[in-house]
Amino acid sequence: MKKYEKVIFVEKTGTCRAPMAEGILRDILVTDPIEVCSKGLVVLFPEPINQKAEAVLISNGINFEENYVSSQLQEEDITENTIIFAMEETYRNKIIEQFDNANEENTFVLSEYVGDELEIINPYGAPLQTYGLCYEYLRNTMKKLVKILEI
């Protein structure tokens, strides 16, 4: 399997599921030198991580970067050693359409890549409990991802 140097998680605004996935993967990969980041496809202005997403991360012992703000996915983010995980099929398709360096070899739907049938639910606007369920699903997904990527 190809050894990647950078993992990018992408969702619409880059404020909820993608930074949660980033935080969880970083927590699991304490010693691995791989770069992990999260980006948005539609970032009109930089926003902090969703408060409920951050609360769930903190309650699970993951302190996310203090000054995190969402940022737009850019062509230069994607190198030959980058793998991209979209939270939904529609985002994956948009990434491949919009970016020359993104293709079917390096851009995937996260849940499909690890063998899950359901996409990762977007908890935005839901009660805190839903964010907790999203966290648990993402944590299990990240464990599978680490095994598949051998990182």
Side-chain angles (χ1 to χ4, degrees):
M1 169 155 292
K2 181 175 179 172
K3 189 75 173 161
Y4 294 99
E5 296 173 2
K6 186 178 192 179
V7 176
I8 304 175
F9 297 104
V10 181
E11 65 180 330
K12 185 175 181 180
T13 63
T15 60
C16 190
R17 291 173 291 175
M20 284 177 76
E22 175 188 345
I24 295 166
L25 186 58
R26 283 185 177 177
D27 185 56
I28 293 171
L29 299 177
V30 177
T31 58
D32 200 288
I34 194 166
E35 182 182 350
V36 182
C37 62
S38 54
K39 299 287 181 174
L41 276 179
V42 182
V43 180
L44 302 176
F45 53 90
E47 291 183 77
I49 186 172
N50 177 288
Q51 288 181 328
K52 290 179 183 175
E54 184 177 34
V56 167
L57 288 173
I58 290 170
S59 71
N60 284 282
I62 299 172
N63 290 315
F64 207 71
E65 333 174 5
E66 201 172 302
N67 298 317
Y68 174 85
V69 290
S70 59
S71 60
Q72 182 90 23
L73 182 64
Q74 304 286 329
E75 190 72 51
E76 57 268 16
D77 292 325
I78 308 166
T79 67
E80 64 182 53
N81 296 319
T82 300
I83 189 166
I84 304 164
F85 294 107
M87 295 296 152
E88 298 171 23
E89 182 73 35
T90 54
Y91 301 149
R92 176 187 176 271
N93 295 340
K94 285 181 182 177
I95 294 165
I96 292 172
E97 286 171 18
Q98 292 177 10
F99 298 96
D100 293 336
N101 293 340
N103 55 56
E104 295 185 3
E105 306 291 315
N106 67 1
T107 307
F108 305 92
V109 176
L110 177 58
S111 53
E112 283 180 13
Y113 191 83
V114 300
D116 292 339
E117 290 183 27
L118 300 174
E119 290 180 345
I120 297 164
I121 59 157
N122 185 354
Y124 185 79
L128 186 60
Q129 185 178 17
T130 306
Y131 285 80
L133 293 172
C134 182
Y135 171 87
E136 292 300 327
Y137 188 83
L138 281 168
R139 183 128 194 125
N140 290 333
T141 301
M142 291 304 112
K143 289 176 183 176
K144 293 176 190 175
L145 184 63
V146 167
K147 288 179 183 169
I148 293 167
L149 293 179
E150 299 173 357
I151 51 178

